[in-house]
Amino acid sequence: LAKTTQPISMDSYEGQEVNITCSHNNIATNDYITWYQQFPSQGPRFIIQGYKTKVTNEVASLFIPADRKSSTLSLPRVSLSDTAVYYCLVGRANDYKLSFGAGTTVTVRA
Amino acid sequence: DVKVTQSSRYLVKRTGEKVFLECVQDMDHENMFWYRQDPGLGLRLIYFSYDVKMKEKGDIPEGYSVSREKKERFSLILESASTNQTSMYLCASSGGEQGVGELFFGEGSRLTVL
């Protein structure tokens, strides 16, 4: 399983863009990169998933360089409600033992 | 709307008691999971099931067992609860191929063992 490394915490202000980088140096050819968001007292929820280059949805963008050894989750114009823990996961089909690390706690201030 | 429902949000049990945590999903998913979450440790996989009556150990199965008699229901059992099992327990389900498919989580069950 590819191990991931991400910052423990990040602070931001409302309206700013937040970029969280996740390192996964031993990512395998078949691995996808997935990000989840977790609010206090709730289960994590899926944000975005990608394999290479760039993926964008209504919530975030995911940038993956050509070597795929890292990825960056970009949250545009954050608000107070984006304060949460963000997890980066790497896994492939039939990979049931997905590993959630400690995640990155993002705190958005007014 | 997809839903994973955990039977209890909060439980308080005594050391040595048998504890059942129930999880039901309404998405006809093949895969179901039990995680525990502790501060600073993220989510750790206890057990998972990829089909009815099938189960596999996760990273921390010691002290736990599971049951999956029906596709929609996955139970976590603590045969003899101990204080170090005080934690937040999260159930999840996914369809199709894990690692590519999305995990859907329940709201969590916070267990306190006294």
Side-chain angles (χ1 to χ4, degrees), chain B residues 56-106:
Chain B
E56 293 286 343
K57 294 179 180 179
D59 298 320
I60 51 164
E62 296 79 18
Y64 303 94
S65 61
V66 290
S67 172
R68 192 162 181 206
E69 296 296 317
K70 294 184 178 181
K71 189 175 186 180
E72 68 271 18
R73 188 179 298 270
F74 193 36
S75 302
L76 180 69
I77 303 153
L78 288 67
E79 293 289 342
S80 177
S82 63
T83 55
N84 62 12
Q85 293 178 309
T86 291
S87 186
M88 170 70 86
Y89 290 88
L90 289 158
C91 175
S93 72
S94 73
E97 296 174 328
Q98 177 62 358
V100 177
E102 177 181 345
L103 279 168
F104 293 87
F105 283 86

Short mmCIF file of all heavy atoms in Angstrom, two decimals, chain B residues 56-106:
data_model
loop_
_atom_site.label_atom_id
_atom_site.label_comp_id
_atom_site.label_asym_id
_atom_site.label_seq_id
_atom_site.Cartn_x
_atom_site.Cartn_y
_atom_site.Cartn_z
N GLU B 56 -12.93 -10.09 6.44
CA GLU B 56 -11.48 -10.07 6.43
C GLU B 56 -10.99 -9.14 7.53
O GLU B 56 -11.61 -8.10 7.79
CB GLU B 56 -10.94 -9.55 5.09
CG GLU B 56 -11.22 -10.47 3.90
CD GLU B 56 -10.34 -11.70 3.90
OE1 GLU B 56 -9.31 -11.69 4.60
OE2 GLU B 56 -10.67 -12.66 3.19
N LYS B 57 -9.88 -9.50 8.14
CA LYS B 57 -9.30 -8.64 9.17
C LYS B 57 -8.68 -7.40 8.55
O LYS B 57 -8.07 -7.46 7.48
CB LYS B 57 -8.24 -9.41 9.95
CG LYS B 57 -8.80 -10.55 10.76
CD LYS B 57 -7.68 -11.28 11.50
CE LYS B 57 -8.26 -12.42 12.32
NZ LYS B 57 -7.19 -13.17 13.05
N GLY B 58 -8.84 -6.32 9.26
CA GLY B 58 -8.18 -5.09 8.89
C GLY B 58 -6.86 -4.96 9.62
O GLY B 58 -6.19 -5.95 9.89
N ASP B 59 -6.53 -3.75 9.99
CA ASP B 59 -5.25 -3.50 10.64
C ASP B 59 -5.26 -3.75 12.14
O ASP B 59 -4.23 -4.05 12.74
CB ASP B 59 -4.81 -2.05 10.37
CG ASP B 59 -4.60 -1.79 8.89
OD1 ASP B 59 -4.06 -2.69 8.20
OD2 ASP B 59 -5.01 -0.72 8.40
N ILE B 60 -6.43 -3.63 12.77
CA ILE B 60 -6.50 -3.76 14.23
C ILE B 60 -7.71 -4.62 14.64
O ILE B 60 -8.61 -4.17 15.33
CB ILE B 60 -6.57 -2.38 14.93
CG1 ILE B 60 -7.69 -1.51 14.31
CG2 ILE B 60 -5.23 -1.65 14.83
CD1 ILE B 60 -8.07 -0.32 15.18
N PRO B 61 -7.74 -5.90 14.28
CA PRO B 61 -8.91 -6.73 14.57
C PRO B 61 -8.97 -7.27 16.00
O PRO B 61 -10.02 -7.77 16.43
CB PRO B 61 -8.73 -7.89 13.59
CG PRO B 61 -7.24 -8.00 13.44
CD PRO B 61 -6.72 -6.60 13.51
N GLU B 62 -7.88 -7.17 16.74
CA GLU B 62 -7.83 -7.80 18.05
C GLU B 62 -8.89 -7.22 18.98
O GLU B 62 -9.01 -6.00 19.14
CB GLU B 62 -6.43 -7.61 18.68
CG GLU B 62 -5.31 -8.28 17.91
CD GLU B 62 -4.87 -7.49 16.68
OE1 GLU B 62 -5.18 -6.28 16.60
OE2 GLU B 62 -4.25 -8.09 15.79
N GLY B 63 -9.64 -8.10 19.60
CA GLY B 63 -10.67 -7.68 20.54
C GLY B 63 -12.03 -7.44 19.91
O GLY B 63 -12.99 -7.09 20.59
N TYR B 64 -12.10 -7.65 18.58
CA TYR B 64 -13.34 -7.41 17.84
C TYR B 64 -13.71 -8.62 17.00
O TYR B 64 -12.86 -9.41 16.61
CB TYR B 64 -13.19 -6.21 16.90
CG TYR B 64 -12.77 -4.93 17.54
CD1 TYR B 64 -11.42 -4.56 17.59
CD2 TYR B 64 -13.71 -4.06 18.09
CE1 TYR B 64 -11.02 -3.38 18.19
CE2 TYR B 64 -13.32 -2.87 18.68
CZ TYR B 64 -11.97 -2.54 18.72
OH TYR B 64 -11.59 -1.36 19.32
N SER B 65 -14.99 -8.75 16.72
CA SER B 65 -15.46 -9.68 15.71
C SER B 65 -16.58 -9.00 14.93
O SER B 65 -17.04 -7.92 15.34
CB SER B 65 -15.96 -10.99 16.34
OG SER B 65 -17.05 -10.74 17.20
N VAL B 66 -16.96 -9.59 13.81
CA VAL B 66 -17.99 -8.99 12.98
C VAL B 66 -18.94 -10.07 12.49
O VAL B 66 -18.65 -11.27 12.54
CB VAL B 66 -17.41 -8.25 11.76
CG1 VAL B 66 -16.67 -6.98 12.18
CG2 VAL B 66 -16.52 -9.16 10.94
N SER B 67 -20.08 -9.59 12.02
CA SER B 67 -21.08 -10.51 11.47
C SER B 67 -21.76 -9.83 10.29
O SER B 67 -22.16 -8.66 10.39
CB SER B 67 -22.12 -10.86 12.54
OG SER B 67 -23.19 -11.58 11.99
N ARG B 68 -21.90 -10.59 9.20
CA ARG B 68 -22.65 -10.07 8.06
C ARG B 68 -23.54 -11.19 7.52
O ARG B 68 -23.16 -11.94 6.64
CB ARG B 68 -21.73 -9.54 6.96
CG ARG B 68 -22.51 -8.74 5.92
CD ARG B 68 -21.62 -7.89 5.11
NE ARG B 68 -22.37 -7.12 4.13
CZ ARG B 68 -21.84 -6.70 2.99
NH1 ARG B 68 -20.58 -6.98 2.69
NH2 ARG B 68 -22.57 -5.99 2.17
N GLU B 69 -24.73 -11.23 8.06
CA GLU B 69 -25.70 -12.25 7.67
C GLU B 69 -26.57 -11.80 6.50
O GLU B 69 -27.10 -12.61 5.75
CB GLU B 69 -26.59 -12.61 8.86
CG GLU B 69 -25.83 -13.25 10.02
CD GLU B 69 -25.22 -14.58 9.63
OE1 GLU B 69 -25.89 -15.37 8.95
OE2 GLU B 69 -24.05 -14.82 9.99
N LYS B 70 -26.72 -10.51 6.36
CA LYS B 70 -27.48 -9.94 5.24
C LYS B 70 -26.63 -8.87 4.56
O LYS B 70 -25.79 -8.24 5.20
CB LYS B 70 -28.79 -9.33 5.72
CG LYS B 70 -29.77 -10.35 6.28
CD LYS B 70 -31.09 -9.69 6.64
CE LYS B 70 -32.08 -10.72 7.15
NZ LYS B 70 -33.39 -10.12 7.49
N LYS B 71 -26.88 -8.67 3.29
CA LYS B 71 -26.04 -7.76 2.51
C LYS B 71 -26.05 -6.35 3.08
O LYS B 71 -25.03 -5.65 3.05
CB LYS B 71 -26.53 -7.74 1.06
CG LYS B 71 -25.60 -6.99 0.11
CD LYS B 71 -26.09 -7.12 -1.32
CE LYS B 71 -25.08 -6.51 -2.30
NZ LYS B 71 -25.54 -6.63 -3.70
N GLU B 72 -27.18 -5.91 3.59
CA GLU B 72 -27.30 -4.53 4.01
C GLU B 72 -26.81 -4.27 5.43
O GLU B 72 -26.72 -3.11 5.84
CB GLU B 72 -28.76 -4.07 3.89
CG GLU B 72 -29.72 -4.72 4.87
CD GLU B 72 -30.32 -6.01 4.34
OE1 GLU B 72 -29.75 -6.58 3.38
OE2 GLU B 72 -31.35 -6.43 4.89
N ARG B 73 -26.48 -5.30 6.17
CA ARG B 73 -26.19 -5.13 7.60
C ARG B 73 -24.83 -5.71 7.96
O ARG B 73 -24.49 -6.83 7.59
CB ARG B 73 -27.28 -5.82 8.42
CG ARG B 73 -27.21 -5.56 9.91
CD ARG B 73 -28.37 -6.28 10.61
NE ARG B 73 -29.66 -5.79 10.16
CZ ARG B 73 -30.32 -4.81 10.72
NH1 ARG B 73 -29.81 -4.18 11.77
NH2 ARG B 73 -31.49 -4.44 10.24
N PHE B 74 -24.06 -4.92 8.71
CA PHE B 74 -22.73 -5.34 9.14
C PHE B 74 -22.58 -4.96 10.60
O PHE B 74 -22.70 -3.78 10.96
CB PHE B 74 -21.68 -4.64 8.28
CG PHE B 74 -20.28 -5.17 8.39
CD1 PHE B 74 -20.03 -6.53 8.55
CD2 PHE B 74 -19.18 -4.32 8.27
CE1 PHE B 74 -18.74 -7.03 8.62
CE2 PHE B 74 -17.88 -4.81 8.35
CZ PHE B 74 -17.66 -6.16 8.51
N SER B 75 -22.35 -5.95 11.44
CA SER B 75 -22.30 -5.71 12.89
C SER B 75 -20.88 -5.86 13.41
O SER B 75 -20.15 -6.76 12.99
CB SER B 75 -23.21 -6.70 13.60
OG SER B 75 -24.53 -6.59 13.13
N LEU B 76 -20.54 -5.00 14.31
CA LEU B 76 -19.25 -5.07 15.01
C LEU B 76 -19.53 -5.50 16.44
O LEU B 76 -20.41 -4.94 17.10
CB LEU B 76 -18.55 -3.71 15.00
CG LEU B 76 -17.20 -3.64 15.70
CD1 LEU B 76 -16.15 -4.43 14.93
CD2 LEU B 76 -16.74 -2.19 15.85
N ILE B 77 -18.77 -6.49 16.90
CA ILE B 77 -19.01 -7.05 18.23
C ILE B 77 -17.74 -6.94 19.07
O ILE B 77 -16.65 -7.31 18.61
CB ILE B 77 -19.43 -8.53 18.11
CG1 ILE B 77 -20.67 -8.64 17.22
CG2 ILE B 77 -19.71 -9.12 19.50
CD1 ILE B 77 -20.80 -9.95 16.52
N LEU B 78 -17.91 -6.40 20.25
CA LEU B 78 -16.85 -6.40 21.24
C LEU B 78 -17.24 -7.44 22.27
O LEU B 78 -18.18 -7.25 23.03
CB LEU B 78 -16.71 -5.04 21.90
CG LEU B 78 -16.12 -3.88 21.07
CD1 LEU B 78 -17.02 -3.47 19.92
CD2 LEU B 78 -15.80 -2.70 21.97
N GLU B 79 -16.56 -8.57 22.27
CA GLU B 79 -16.96 -9.70 23.12
C GLU B 79 -16.86 -9.35 24.61
O GLU B 79 -17.71 -9.75 25.40
CB GLU B 79 -16.09 -10.92 22.81
CG GLU B 79 -16.31 -11.49 21.42
CD GLU B 79 -17.65 -12.20 21.28
OE1 GLU B 79 -18.27 -12.55 22.32
OE2 GLU B 79 -18.09 -12.40 20.13
N SER B 80 -15.83 -8.61 24.95
CA SER B 80 -15.64 -8.22 26.35
C SER B 80 -14.98 -6.85 26.33
O SER B 80 -13.76 -6.73 26.20
CB SER B 80 -14.76 -9.24 27.07
OG SER B 80 -14.52 -8.85 28.41
N ALA B 81 -15.80 -5.83 26.44
CA ALA B 81 -15.31 -4.47 26.24
C ALA B 81 -14.23 -4.12 27.27
O ALA B 81 -14.30 -4.50 28.45
CB ALA B 81 -16.46 -3.48 26.34
N SER B 82 -13.25 -3.37 26.80
CA SER B 82 -12.20 -2.88 27.68
C SER B 82 -12.08 -1.37 27.50
O SER B 82 -12.53 -0.80 26.49
CB SER B 82 -10.87 -3.56 27.35
OG SER B 82 -10.45 -3.23 26.04
N THR B 83 -11.46 -0.72 28.48
CA THR B 83 -11.38 0.74 28.45
C THR B 83 -10.60 1.24 27.23
O THR B 83 -10.88 2.34 26.73
CB THR B 83 -10.74 1.28 29.73
OG1 THR B 83 -9.48 0.65 29.91
CG2 THR B 83 -11.62 1.00 30.95
N ASN B 84 -9.65 0.46 26.73
CA ASN B 84 -8.89 0.92 25.56
C ASN B 84 -9.69 0.79 24.25
O ASN B 84 -9.17 1.11 23.18
CB ASN B 84 -7.54 0.22 25.44
CG ASN B 84 -7.66 -1.28 25.25
OD1 ASN B 84 -8.74 -1.80 24.98
ND2 ASN B 84 -6.56 -1.98 25.38
N GLN B 85 -10.92 0.34 24.36
CA GLN B 85 -11.80 0.32 23.19
C GLN B 85 -12.75 1.52 23.18
O GLN B 85 -13.63 1.62 22.31
CB GLN B 85 -12.59 -0.99 23.13
CG GLN B 85 -11.68 -2.18 22.85
CD GLN B 85 -12.43 -3.49 22.83
OE1 GLN B 85 -13.18 -3.82 23.76
NE2 GLN B 85 -12.22 -4.28 21.78
N THR B 86 -12.56 2.40 24.13
CA THR B 86 -13.28 3.68 24.09
C THR B 86 -12.80 4.44 22.86
O THR B 86 -11.61 4.69 22.69
CB THR B 86 -12.98 4.50 25.36
OG1 THR B 86 -13.58 3.86 26.47
CG2 THR B 86 -13.51 5.92 25.22
N SER B 87 -13.76 4.76 21.98
CA SER B 87 -13.37 5.35 20.69
C SER B 87 -14.61 5.75 19.91
O SER B 87 -15.74 5.46 20.31
CB SER B 87 -12.56 4.34 19.87
OG SER B 87 -12.05 4.90 18.68
N MET B 88 -14.37 6.39 18.77
CA MET B 88 -15.41 6.62 17.79
C MET B 88 -15.34 5.51 16.76
O MET B 88 -14.26 5.24 16.21
CB MET B 88 -15.22 7.97 17.10
CG MET B 88 -16.12 8.19 15.90
SD MET B 88 -17.85 8.40 16.33
CE MET B 88 -17.85 10.17 16.67
N TYR B 89 -16.47 4.87 16.51
CA TYR B 89 -16.51 3.78 15.54
C TYR B 89 -17.32 4.23 14.32
O TYR B 89 -18.43 4.74 14.43
CB TYR B 89 -17.14 2.52 16.17
CG TYR B 89 -16.23 1.92 17.20
CD1 TYR B 89 -16.27 2.33 18.53
CD2 TYR B 89 -15.28 0.96 16.84
CE1 TYR B 89 -15.41 1.80 19.47
CE2 TYR B 89 -14.41 0.42 17.78
CZ TYR B 89 -14.48 0.85 19.09
OH TYR B 89 -13.62 0.32 20.01
N LEU B 90 -16.72 4.02 13.17
CA LEU B 90 -17.33 4.45 11.92
C LEU B 90 -17.54 3.27 11.00
O LEU B 90 -16.63 2.49 10.75
CB LEU B 90 -16.44 5.48 11.22
CG LEU B 90 -16.37 6.85 11.89
CD1 LEU B 90 -15.12 7.59 11.47
CD2 LEU B 90 -17.59 7.68 11.55
N CYS B 91 -18.76 3.17 10.48
CA CYS B 91 -19.09 2.15 9.50
C CYS B 91 -19.11 2.80 8.11
O CYS B 91 -19.48 3.98 7.98
CB CYS B 91 -20.46 1.56 9.82
SG CYS B 91 -21.09 0.39 8.60
N ALA B 92 -18.71 2.06 7.11
CA ALA B 92 -18.74 2.57 5.74
C ALA B 92 -19.13 1.47 4.78
O ALA B 92 -19.02 0.27 5.10
CB ALA B 92 -17.37 3.15 5.35
N SER B 93 -19.59 1.86 3.62
CA SER B 93 -19.89 0.89 2.58
C SER B 93 -19.42 1.43 1.25
O SER B 93 -19.23 2.64 1.07
CB SER B 93 -21.39 0.58 2.53
OG SER B 93 -22.11 1.67 1.99
N SER B 94 -19.19 0.53 0.32
CA SER B 94 -18.84 0.92 -1.04
C SER B 94 -19.30 -0.15 -2.00
O SER B 94 -19.43 -1.33 -1.64
CB SER B 94 -17.33 1.15 -1.19
OG SER B 94 -16.62 -0.07 -1.17
N GLY B 95 -19.56 0.27 -3.21
CA GLY B 95 -19.98 -0.67 -4.23
C GLY B 95 -18.86 -0.88 -5.23
O GLY B 95 -17.96 -0.05 -5.34
N GLY B 96 -18.87 -1.98 -5.92
CA GLY B 96 -17.89 -2.20 -6.98
C GLY B 96 -16.50 -2.39 -6.42
O GLY B 96 -16.32 -2.96 -5.35
N GLU B 97 -15.54 -1.82 -7.09
CA GLU B 97 -14.15 -2.07 -6.76
C GLU B 97 -13.64 -1.04 -5.77
O GLU B 97 -13.55 0.13 -6.08
CB GLU B 97 -13.30 -2.05 -8.02
CG GLU B 97 -13.66 -3.15 -8.99
CD GLU B 97 -12.90 -3.02 -10.29
OE1 GLU B 97 -12.61 -1.89 -10.69
OE2 GLU B 97 -12.60 -4.06 -10.89
N GLN B 98 -13.30 -1.52 -4.58
CA GLN B 98 -12.73 -0.62 -3.58
C GLN B 98 -11.40 -0.09 -4.08
O GLN B 98 -10.68 -0.74 -4.81
CB GLN B 98 -12.53 -1.39 -2.28
CG GLN B 98 -11.87 -0.61 -1.18
CD GLN B 98 -12.67 0.59 -0.72
OE1 GLN B 98 -13.72 0.88 -1.26
NE2 GLN B 98 -12.17 1.29 0.27
N GLY B 99 -11.05 1.11 -3.67
CA GLY B 99 -9.84 1.76 -4.13
C GLY B 99 -10.15 2.65 -5.30
O GLY B 99 -9.44 3.60 -5.57
N VAL B 100 -11.23 2.37 -6.00
CA VAL B 100 -11.69 3.25 -7.06
C VAL B 100 -13.05 3.83 -6.69
O VAL B 100 -13.32 4.98 -6.93
CB VAL B 100 -11.79 2.48 -8.39
CG1 VAL B 100 -12.35 3.38 -9.48
CG2 VAL B 100 -10.44 1.93 -8.79
N GLY B 101 -13.86 3.00 -6.07
CA GLY B 101 -15.19 3.44 -5.67
C GLY B 101 -15.17 4.31 -4.43
O GLY B 101 -14.21 4.33 -3.67
N GLU B 102 -16.25 5.01 -4.23
CA GLU B 102 -16.39 5.94 -3.12
C GLU B 102 -16.85 5.23 -1.87
O GLU B 102 -17.74 4.37 -1.92
CB GLU B 102 -17.41 7.00 -3.53
CG GLU B 102 -17.75 8.03 -2.48
CD GLU B 102 -18.79 9.02 -2.98
OE1 GLU B 102 -19.02 9.08 -4.21
OE2 GLU B 102 -19.38 9.71 -2.14
N LEU B 103 -16.26 5.58 -0.74
CA LEU B 103 -16.71 5.08 0.56
C LEU B 103 -17.78 6.00 1.09
O LEU B 103 -17.60 7.22 1.11
CB LEU B 103 -15.55 5.06 1.55
CG LEU B 103 -14.56 3.89 1.51
CD1 LEU B 103 -13.35 4.21 2.36
CD2 LEU B 103 -15.23 2.62 2.01
N PHE B 104 -18.88 5.42 1.56
CA PHE B 104 -19.94 6.18 2.21
C PHE B 104 -19.93 5.83 3.69
O PHE B 104 -20.02 4.66 4.05
CB PHE B 104 -21.30 5.83 1.60
CG PHE B 104 -21.46 6.27 0.18
CD1 PHE B 104 -21.04 5.45 -0.86
CD2 PHE B 104 -22.00 7.49 -0.13
CE1 PHE B 104 -21.18 5.83 -2.18
CE2 PHE B 104 -22.14 7.90 -1.45
CZ PHE B 104 -21.72 7.08 -2.47
N PHE B 105 -19.82 6.86 4.51
CA PHE B 105 -19.71 6.64 5.95
C PHE B 105 -21.01 6.95 6.67
O PHE B 105 -21.78 7.82 6.25
CB PHE B 105 -18.61 7.53 6.53
CG PHE B 105 -17.22 7.04 6.28
CD1 PHE B 105 -16.56 7.35 5.12
CD2 PHE B 105 -16.58 6.23 7.22
CE1 PHE B 105 -15.28 6.89 4.88
CE2 PHE B 105 -15.30 5.77 7.00
CZ PHE B 105 -14.64 6.11 5.82
N GLY B 106 -21.18 6.27 7.81
CA GLY B 106 -22.23 6.64 8.73
C GLY B 106 -21.78 7.80 9.61
O GLY B 106 -20.66 8.31 9.47
#
